[in-house]
Amino acid sequence: MSWLHRASSLIAPRSLRKFAERTTTLLLAFTFCSSLNAELPTDRLNELRDHAMQSLAANDREAAAKATEQILELCKVSEQVAIDDPERIRYLIIAAQIDFDAGHPDRAIQTLSDAARDAAPGSAGRVTSLAYLVRIDAIKQQTNPQRAVETLAESIGLINEQRSLYDEVQALAIDVLGFSQLTKLEPKDSVEQNLKLLQERISEVEDTLSAAEIPVGVIRLVRLALAEYCMRVGMDDSLETVLRDLRSVIDDDQVAAQWRAKYWSLVVTLRLKRRQLAEAYDAAREFSRQATRTGRPDLPVIANDTLALVALQMGDYREARKLLESSREFHQQNPDLRSATDWRINLAKAIEGDRDFIIARNELIDAQETLQTSKNIDPLRAANVANNLGINYYLTGDFDKAAELAQSAKQIYQANVAPADLKIGESSINLGWIAMAQEHLSQAAEHFSEAAKHFKKHYSVRHPRYAEAIACQARVACLQGNLAAASQWVTQAEALAYQGVCEALSKSPSARDRLAMIQEARVHPESVAWPGTLDTFLELAPQLQIPDADQYNVVLRWKGLADRYDRAFKQSTDTEIKQREQALMQQLHQAYFRRVSMFRRRALLNEIADLEDQLQDIRRSVSRSENLSLEQEPTSEIVARLLADDELMLDILQTRVFDKPTKGGSIGAGSRYFAFVLAPSGQVKRVTFGDAPNVDAAIVRWRKTITEQLPDMDVAARTVASLVQRPLLDCDLPFSRLRIRGDSMCYLIPWAALPAVNRPGYWIEQVSIELVSEVAAAEIATETSSGMSKSLLVAGGIDYGPLTQQWPLLPGSLKEAKQVETLFKQQFPQARVVRLSDSKATEAALAQAMVNEHYIHLATHGFFRRENEGDAFAISGATTLLSTGLIVAPATDQDPKNASEQDQYMTAAEIRQLDLSQASLVMLSACESGLGQAQAGQGMAGMFSSFHAAGAAHVIGTLWPVDDDATVAFVQHFYDHLWRQGKSVREAIRGAQVDMLSATNSGIRSHPYAWAAFVCSSR
C-alpha cells in the first residue's frame, strides 16, 4: 500500500484514495510506448523496490530508506542513462513514495522535484511527479497554487497525445484542483470565498476540456472537486445542489464506473450526515454496484463496508455482520491499518448487536494489538478502538476495565478533535453509563451533565443526543431517590426529543427516512444495551408516579407520527405535483416488477435510480415549503369519547429497556411489551405483557400449531393468553367489545382464537374484536355515513395470463364472487353491482371501479415479498408498500409477449394513492393480506394501512393462507350477518366466526385455522 493511500486518508474519504492508481496508470501507459534504455539495471532496481516494500510492511523504515538510497544511486544520469528516460523517472517516483512512507518527506520532495524537472515536458512522468507534489502540499497543509495549476494544464495537454486516457487525466485534474483548494480552508470566514474561487476555476477547466472535444457529460464531472470541497467544509445544501446537478450525467455511457462510484460515495456521506438512512442505504447499494465494475480489487470492499456501516446505523446488525464478514479475507490479505481498524470496529458493533459479546471483544483486541505494534499510531483510531472496547467490557460486566478504556478514549478525543466534535459528548455519556453500573451515581451524574452541556453549547437542545443526556440524568436522579428532579428531567427530555424529531420530519421527503428518524429517538446508536429517550421515559414513568393517562398521551402522539406527516405532505401538495408524483410512482412500480435479462439489468437499475431521484426531488420541493399543516395530536380524552360504553381500547407498544449487564455478557431481554388500556370514561391503566423474546416465541409457536393443526394448540394458546390476555383481564374493567392497536409481533396474534374466560371455547364467543389502524388514530372508530347509497365491486375468477404458472388460477374465487354478488342483490336489488373477472380484472379497471363503490370484495392472490429474492425492487431498497399487494389480470392492450413484464402487481403503494373515501368496507379474500412490516411503533406497513390511507373505513384480510372451501363458507356467513341481519362490520365478522366454530359436522371449518385468520381493521 503506497504512502499516498495512507496519507490521503487523513484528509480525504476513501473514494479519493485511487489518486495513486490514476497517475500510475498514466505513467505506465506512456512508458509502455516509450523506447526503454537497456542500460538501466531494471532487475536490480526491481529487487531493491521489493526489498524496500517488504521492509515497510515489517515497519523497518531504516532498511527501506537504505534501499531507496541505492535506487537513487542507480538512477543517476550517466552516458548510459538519459536524463528524461521514462524508466528512470518511474523509479525516481517509486523511490519518493517509499521515502515518504519511511519518514523522509524532504528527500521524497526533492526526488519528485528532480523527476518533474528532468521528465520531458507534457509527459506522463512529469505530470505524475507534479501531481504527487501537489498531494504532499495538501497533506502538509501547505499551498502551492502555481504548481497545482501547472500540473492541471499539463495533464489536460496529455489528452491530445492519447485520447484513450482522457478519463484518467480528468480524474487527475479533479483531485489536483480539489486538493489545491482544500489547503486554503483554515480561516472559517473564507469558506464562501473559496467556494466562489473554486467555481471560477472549474469553469476555466471546463472551457479547456470543451476545446479538447471531451464529451460534455464527462466535462461536468470536474464538479466532483466542488462536491469534495462542500463536503469538507460542511456546506451540505451546496453539496446537495452539486450532486443533484451531476445526477443527470452520472449514468452517461462515457462516464467510467470509478467516477460513478465516487459520486455515489459522496451521496452516501451526505445522506448519513443528514440521517437520511434509507436513502443512504440505496446510495450505498449503488456505490457497491458501480465499484464492482471499476476493475479495482479494493473498491468493492470499500463499498461493501460502507453498505455495512449504513445497515449498522439502521440497527440491522445481522445484515451488517454478514457484509463485514464477507470483507474479512481482503482485510487480512491487505492490512491497511486504518481501513482494517475501521472494519474491525464496525464488525464488533454488528456482532454485539447479535449479542456475541466475547467474539466482538476478540475483534477489538486484535485491532488494538495491531495498532500498538505499529510505529505510526493513528490516535483517533486508537481512541475509537478503546471506546468500543470499553463498551464491550461494560456489556460483559467488567465495569472497571470499561471505565479505564472509556476515560482513555475521551482524553484522546479531547486532544485530537475539534471542541464541538460529537465524540467528546458521546464519550461522556458512555462514562456515565459505566459509572452508573459501578453504582458511582455522583460520577455518573457529572458525566451526563457534562454531556448535556456539550451538546447544548455546540449543537441544540433539540439535538437527539442532548435529549438523551437529559434522560440519563433523570435515570441517575431516580436511582438517587430524587424523584422530583428525575420526573422533571425525563419529561423535558421526551418533549425535546419529540420536538427535534418533528423538526427533522418536516424537512424529510422520504417516508422511510421519517421512520428511521423516529427510530433513532428510541434506540441508542452506540450500544444494544441502552434505550433511547422515549423508551427511557416509558421505563421510568411508573417509578416516578407519572399518571398512566399522561404516559398514554405521550405514546399516542409518537405512534402514528410518521403517518401524520405523510398526510400533511399530501395535503400541502398542489394538484399538479400530486399528478407528477403518481405518474412517477406508477413508472417506478412497473420498473420494480419488470423482469429482464442480465444484459438489460444495468439499464433497468439505472432507470429505477433515476425515477427514485425524480420522486425524491418532487418530495423535497414540498418539504422545503413551510405550509405543512399537521392534524391535531390524538389524546386519551379524544379517543375515549369515540369508544362505546361497553368498549375498551388496548394499545400495545414494544420498548427497549435497560438491564444492568452481568459477568459473562447477560443484559436481559433488551425489549419488553406493555400496553395501555383505555376505558370510555377516560380511565387509563398501564399493563405489562412481558419480555418481548418470550412473547414473540409464544406467538410464533401458537400460530404454527393453528396453521399446521397440531395437537398442542390449546396449550400454546393458553401460554399466549397468560401473556397478553390475562394482564387486560386483571384491570377489572368491564367490556364486551375490544379495539386493539398492536406493535411488532402482536400484529400477528389471532385474538379471536384465544381461550374463552372461565369457560370452554374461544374468546370471540364472548368479545367482539377489531384491530385499529395506525393511519388515523385521532379518528378511531369513525364510521362511513349510513345514508350513503349502497354499491358493490366484486372481483374473482381472474385470469392471470402469463403469470399463471407462478400464480395458479383460483377457480373457487369465481364461485365466491358470484356468491357475494347474489347475496348483495338479494338485500339490495336496486343497488349497483360491478363484477370484474377473467381478463377484465386489470389494475386500471380495478382502480377506476374502486373509487366509486361502497363495498369492495377482492378474491385473488395476495403477495408479501421478502428481501433478497433477486429481482430489481429488492436490490434497489423498495419499501414494504412495494413488496405487498394483489395479483391482477394483465392489461388487455399490451403485447402478449411483453405481458409478463407489465403491471399485474397492484401494490400497497399504488393503493395508497387512490381515493377510497366512499368505501365503507374492503374485503381482501387473499392469502396473507393482513401481513406487513412493523415500523418502529408506527404501525404495520401493508395492505391494511394503505387501504385506510386511501380512505377505506374497514378492511378485512387474513393472517395466513386459508383454503377455498373455508373461505367461501366464511364469506357467506359474514355477508349474511352484515347485509341480511344489518350488523356492523365488527359484529358481522364475529358472527361469521362463531357460526363456523359452532357448526356441527363441519370438519375443518370449525377449527381456528379456517376462521381465526380473518381479522378486521378500522380507522
Side-chain angles (χ1 to χ4, degrees):
M1 189 65 67
S2 74
W3 63 271
L4 199 52
H5 284 146
R6 291 199 287 270
S8 66
S9 67
L10 294 173
I11 59 172
R14 291 179 175 179
S15 60
L16 283 181
R17 296 185 193 175
K18 53 182 174 280
F19 184 87
E21 280 88 344
R22 289 172 175 158
T23 47
T24 302
T25 299
L26 282 171
L27 182 61
L28 294 177
F30 280 94
T31 55
F32 181 80
C33 300
S34 306
S35 57
L36 303 182
N37 193 320
E39 299 300 327
L40 199 66
T42 54
D43 290 342
R44 177 58 178 160
L45 288 168
N46 289 337
E47 181 182 333
L48 289 168
R49 177 201 62 197
D50 294 342
H51 175 67
M53 297 300 291
Q54 292 169 3
S55 298
L56 281 177
N59 288 320
D60 191 346
R61 295 185 174 189
E62 184 177 349
K66 289 181 178 179
T68 58
E69 287 180 6
Q70 297 181 59
I71 292 175
L72 294 174
E73 184 67 29
L74 291 173
C75 288
K76 284 184 177 180
V77 178
S78 65
E79 293 181 358
Q80 290 77 30
V81 181
I83 189 171
D84 60 350
D85 182 352
E87 278 289 276
R88 172 179 177 266
I89 303 300
R90 187 166 74 89
Y91 282 108
L92 287 177
I93 295 171
I94 291 172
Q97 292 176 331
I98 296 170
D99 267 342
F100 197 93
D101 265 353
H104 297 278
D106 293 337
R107 190 166 72 183
I109 292 171
Q110 184 59 53
T111 301
L112 289 171
S113 299
D114 292 343
R117 179 198 63 208
D118 295 343
S123 67
R126 174 172 168 77
V127 171
T128 304
S129 302
L130 288 171
Y132 284 171
L133 285 169
V134 171
R135 179 54 66 89
I136 292 175
D137 288 339
I139 292 171
K140 296 177 70 176
Q141 294 297 298
Q142 297 173 350
T143 304
N144 192 335
Q146 183 178 358
R147 179 151 58 197
V149 173
E150 182 181 2
T151 304
L152 180 60
E154 293 200 25
S155 65
I156 293 172
L158 287 175
I159 296 175
N160 295 325
E161 298 186 35
Q162 189 166 339
R163 286 296 304 278
S164 63
L165 292 177
Y166 75 83
D167 189 59
E168 288 80 3
V169 171
Q170 185 77 346
L172 174 62
I174 291 173
D175 285 343
V176 170
L177 181 62
F179 278 92
S180 69
Q181 295 295 327
L182 291 180
T183 58
K184 302 178 181 179
L185 303 184
E186 284 305 316
K188 292 298 181 183
D189 58 356
S190 68
V191 169
E192 293 288 347
Q193 182 181 0
N194 282 329
L195 177 62
K196 183 178 180 181
L197 290 173
L198 187 54
Q199 289 173 322
E200 293 174 354
R201 184 69 58 78
I202 285 174
S203 296
E204 295 172 6
V205 174
E206 289 179 335
D207 291 342
T208 304
L209 294 173
S210 296
E213 299 181 354
I214 301 301
V216 175
V218 177
I219 291 173
R220 293 185 67 185
L221 285 175
V222 177
R223 299 180 192 183
L224 281 172
L226 193 63
E228 292 284 358
Y229 179 92
C230 295
M231 181 186 70
R232 187 68 54 198
V233 298
M235 300 178 68
D236 294 344
D237 291 339
S238 297
L239 176 57
E240 186 84 64
T241 301
V242 175
L243 292 175
R244 189 181 300 116
D245 180 56
L246 287 172
R247 185 68 186 90
S248 62
V249 301
I250 199 67
D251 289 327
D252 191 304
D253 289 338
Q254 301 269 5
V255 176
Q258 61 183 3
W259 289 41
R260 295 192 183 102
K262 182 174 186 176
Y263 168 84
W264 286 110
S265 71
L266 289 170
V267 175
V268 176
T269 301
L270 179 62
R271 296 290 170 253
L272 282 176
K273 187 174 182 181
R274 290 189 158 181
R275 306 305 299 162
Q276 296 168 337
L277 298 182
E279 290 189 49
Y281 188 80
D282 291 346
R285 295 291 289 263
E286 187 62 33
F287 177 26
S288 182
R289 282 195 290 272
Q290 297 300 336
T292 59
R293 301 187 178 112
T294 63
R296 287 181 49 190
D298 62 325
L299 199 55
V301 177
I302 293 171
N304 181 76
D305 291 355
T306 302
L307 182 61
L309 174 62
V310 180
L312 190 63
Q313 295 202 23
M314 295 177 75
D316 193 346
Y317 300 113
R318 291 187 179 179
E319 175 68 10
R321 183 176 182 177
K322 181 179 70 173
L323 290 166
L324 291 165
E325 287 286 6
S326 69
S327 300
R328 182 182 293 278
E329 183 178 355
F330 177 89
H331 287 295
Q332 290 176 341
Q333 295 178 357
N334 301 273
D336 177 359
L337 195 57
R338 291 183 174 88
S339 62
T341 302
D342 294 342
W343 166 75
R344 283 194 183 278
I345 290 173
N346 290 332
L347 177 59
K349 288 183 178 181
I351 294 172
E352 286 176 351
D354 270 351
R355 302 195 174 213
D356 292 334
F357 301 121
I358 304 303
I359 297 176
R361 179 189 298 176
N362 292 336
E363 294 289 349
L364 292 168
I365 290 175
D366 287 346
Q368 187 180 55
E369 291 175 348
T370 303
L371 283 171
Q372 290 172 346
T373 57
S374 172
K375 295 183 179 179
N376 292 322
I377 297 179
D378 181 343
L380 291 181
R381 281 179 171 77
N384 291 340
V385 172
N387 182 60
N388 285 277
L389 194 53
I391 293 174
N392 182 274
Y393 276 108
Y394 165 86
L395 292 172
T396 53
D398 192 341
F399 304 131
D400 293 339
K401 186 67 174 177
E404 176 187 343
L405 288 163
Q407 186 62 48
S408 171
K410 181 178 179 180
Q411 291 172 352
I412 297 175
Y413 288 140
Q414 289 174 326
N416 291 275
V417 301
D421 197 290
L422 276 170
K423 289 184 180 297
I424 294 177
E426 289 174 343
S427 61
S428 294
I429 289 181
N430 295 346
L431 284 165
W433 279 100
I434 295 168
M436 189 163 52
Q438 294 174 304
E439 299 183 0
H440 300 161
L441 299 184
S442 296
Q443 291 182 19
E446 291 176 5
H447 288 307
F448 291 139
S449 176
E450 184 179 348
K453 292 176 182 177
H454 176 85
F455 294 122
K456 183 177 182 179
K457 177 180 178 181
H458 297 291
Y459 296 92
S460 162
V461 294
R462 290 191 176 92
H463 192 282
R465 298 287 82 79
Y466 175 76
E468 179 188 334
I470 297 297
C472 289
Q473 286 183 284
R475 188 181 293 276
V476 175
C478 189
L479 292 172
Q480 292 175 323
N482 190 351
L483 301 187
S487 179
Q488 180 181 353
W489 270 330
V490 80
T491 303
Q492 179 188 10
E494 182 279 323
L496 289 173
Y498 182 77
Q499 293 169 15
V501 167
C502 289
E503 185 177 296
L505 293 179
S506 67
K507 301 175 182 178
S508 175
S510 166
R512 288 179 296 161
D513 282 328
R514 289 199 287 272
L515 289 170
M517 290 173 183
I518 294 171
Q519 181 73 347
E520 188 178 10
R522 301 190 57 191
V523 179
H524 193 285
E526 288 295 320
S527 173
V528 296
W530 303 335
T533 302
L534 171 62
D535 291 32
T536 297
F537 171 84
L538 294 171
E539 180 186 348
L540 298 183
Q543 303 173 52
L544 302 176
Q545 298 181 353
I546 296 176
D548 290 350
D550 292 347
Q551 297 178 46
Y552 187 39
N553 284 332
V554 169
V555 170
L556 280 172
R557 69 178 185 174
W558 279 90
K559 288 187 78 171
L561 180 60
D563 274 325
R564 292 208 301 279
Y565 271 91
D566 186 44
R567 291 194 292 275
F569 273 108
K570 287 183 179 180
Q571 292 168 4
S572 65
T573 306
D574 60 35
T575 303
E576 181 181 353
I577 291 180
K578 285 181 180 179
Q579 292 174 348
R580 288 171 55 199
E581 182 181 11
Q582 290 177 4
L584 282 170
M585 283 293 296
Q586 178 68 17
Q587 295 177 57
L588 190 58
H589 159 261
Q590 291 178 353
Y592 278 136
F593 289 91
R594 191 179 307 154
R595 299 185 180 278
V596 298
S597 66
M598 290 301 296
F599 299 104
R600 295 180 57 194
R601 191 169 182 79
R602 175 181 174 184
L604 176 61
L605 294 174
N606 289 339
E607 178 186 346
I608 289 173
D610 183 60
L611 290 170
E612 287 179 332
D613 286 339
Q614 292 182 51
L615 190 61
Q616 294 305 323
D617 284 344
I618 288 176
R619 290 171 176 171
R620 284 193 186 96
S621 69
V622 177
S623 68
R624 285 192 292 269
S625 70
E626 299 181 357
N627 299 321
L628 287 181
S629 178
L630 285 178
E631 62 196 38
Q632 180 184 1
E633 292 178 355
T635 65
S636 59
E637 291 82 2
I638 292 175
V639 178
R641 287 198 298 267
L642 298 170
L643 296 175
D645 291 341
D646 60 344
E647 190 172 36
L648 293 182
M649 173 75 176
L650 180 67
D651 206 338
I652 304 167
L653 187 68
Q654 181 183 10
T655 67
R656 294 286 294 273
V657 294
F658 169 67
D659 289 294
K660 180 179 176 180
T662 58
K663 287 288 185 181
S666 174
I667 59 172
S671 60
R672 191 165 297 151
Y673 285 111
F674 69 88
F676 290 98
V677 182
L678 175 65
S681 63
Q683 182 181 4
V684 178
K685 288 191 176 183
R686 172 173 165 165
V687 298
T688 300
F689 285 176
D691 293 341
N694 296 336
V695 175
D696 291 348
I699 293 170
V700 170
R701 175 59 188 167
W702 182 36
R703 283 171 54 91
K704 181 180 175 67
T705 63
I706 294 176
T707 57
E708 298 182 12
Q709 301 167 45
L710 300 179
D712 59 340
M713 182 186 71
D714 292 341
V715 175
R718 286 194 294 272
T719 300
V720 174
S722 68
L723 295 169
V724 302
Q725 184 189 48
R726 176 46 54 188
L728 170 63
L729 299 176
D730 288 343
C731 290
D732 199 25
L733 294 172
F735 68 99
S736 60
R737 292 190 280 182
L738 181 64
R739 293 186 182 273
I740 302 172
R741 206 162 65 135
D743 195 16
S744 196
M745 284 294 292
C746 289
Y747 280 113
L748 304 182
I749 296 175
W751 295 89
L754 285 170
V757 179
N758 298 325
R759 48 154 285 191
Y762 298 98
W763 206 20
I764 193 63
E765 298 175 89
Q766 298 174 311
V767 179
S768 68
I769 301 168
E770 189 169 36
L771 305 182
V772 175
S773 167
E774 303 291 346
V775 175
E779 300 175 6
I780 199 169
T782 298
E783 295 281 352
T784 306
S785 173
S786 59
M788 183 180 298
S789 60
K790 300 293 190 294
S791 61
L792 171 68
L793 165 66
V794 58
I798 298 174
D799 181 359
Y800 303 116
L803 292 186
T804 301
Q805 184 173 0
Q806 182 180 358
W807 302 100
L809 298 178
L810 298 173
S813 67
L814 180 60
K815 176 183 177 183
E816 177 184 332
K818 291 180 177 179
Q819 180 188 49
V820 171
E821 181 179 356
T822 299
L823 291 171
F824 183 77
K825 287 182 175 180
Q826 288 174 352
Q827 299 304 318
F828 312 104
Q830 304 301 320
R832 181 178 67 252
V833 177
V834 176
R835 175 156 59 90
L836 296 175
S837 58
D838 300 321
S839 61
K840 295 180 180 179
T842 64
E843 180 179 346
L846 285 168
Q848 182 178 2
M850 280 195 290
V851 299
N852 297 315
E853 308 306 332
H854 187 66
Y855 297 110
I856 300 172
H857 184 102
L858 305 175
T860 183
H861 284 293
F863 68 92
F864 180 60
R865 306 179 70 167
R866 294 165 177 84
E867 290 292 325
N868 302 321
E869 291 192 347
D871 46 2
F873 85 92
I875 63 176
S876 63
T879 68
T880 303
L881 297 180
L882 282 167
S883 58
T884 185
L886 304 170
I887 308 300
V888 298
T892 56
D893 59 346
Q894 293 169 354
D895 184 346
K897 294 180 180 179
N898 297 326
S900 63
E901 297 183 7
Q902 302 303 321
D903 198 358
Q904 287 190 249
Y905 299 90
M906 192 172 193
T907 66
E910 292 175 302
I911 292 167
R912 200 178 184 90
Q913 303 301 318
L914 300 176
D915 179 5
L916 301 183
S917 56
Q918 302 292 319
S920 172
L921 168 68
V922 177
M923 165 71 87
L924 301 175
S925 182
C927 297
E928 299 182 314
S929 52
L931 299 185
Q933 179 64 49
Q935 303 180 108
Q938 297 300 303
M940 177 80 79
M943 297 293 287
F944 280 7
S945 66
S946 291
F947 273 105
H948 285 312
H954 301 274
V955 185
I956 295 176
T958 60
L959 297 177
W960 55 76
V962 180
D963 66 46
D964 285 354
D965 289 342
T967 300
V968 170
F970 175 85
V971 167
Q972 183 175 358
H973 287 296
F974 170 73
Y975 284 120
D976 180 73
H977 284 275
L978 181 69
W979 292 333
R980 189 179 67 82
Q981 301 182 39
K983 294 182 179 180
S984 67
V985 173
R986 176 167 54 176
E987 291 299 329
I989 195 172
R990 178 193 181 194
Q993 290 173 326
V994 171
D995 286 348
M996 291 184 69
L997 69 89
S998 303
T1000 58
N1001 301 320
S1002 61
I1004 190 60
R1005 294 183 187 178
S1006 62
H1007 192 280
Y1009 156 79
W1011 52 264
F1014 294 92
V1015 291
C1016 176
S1017 173
S1018 70
R1019 298 180 65 200

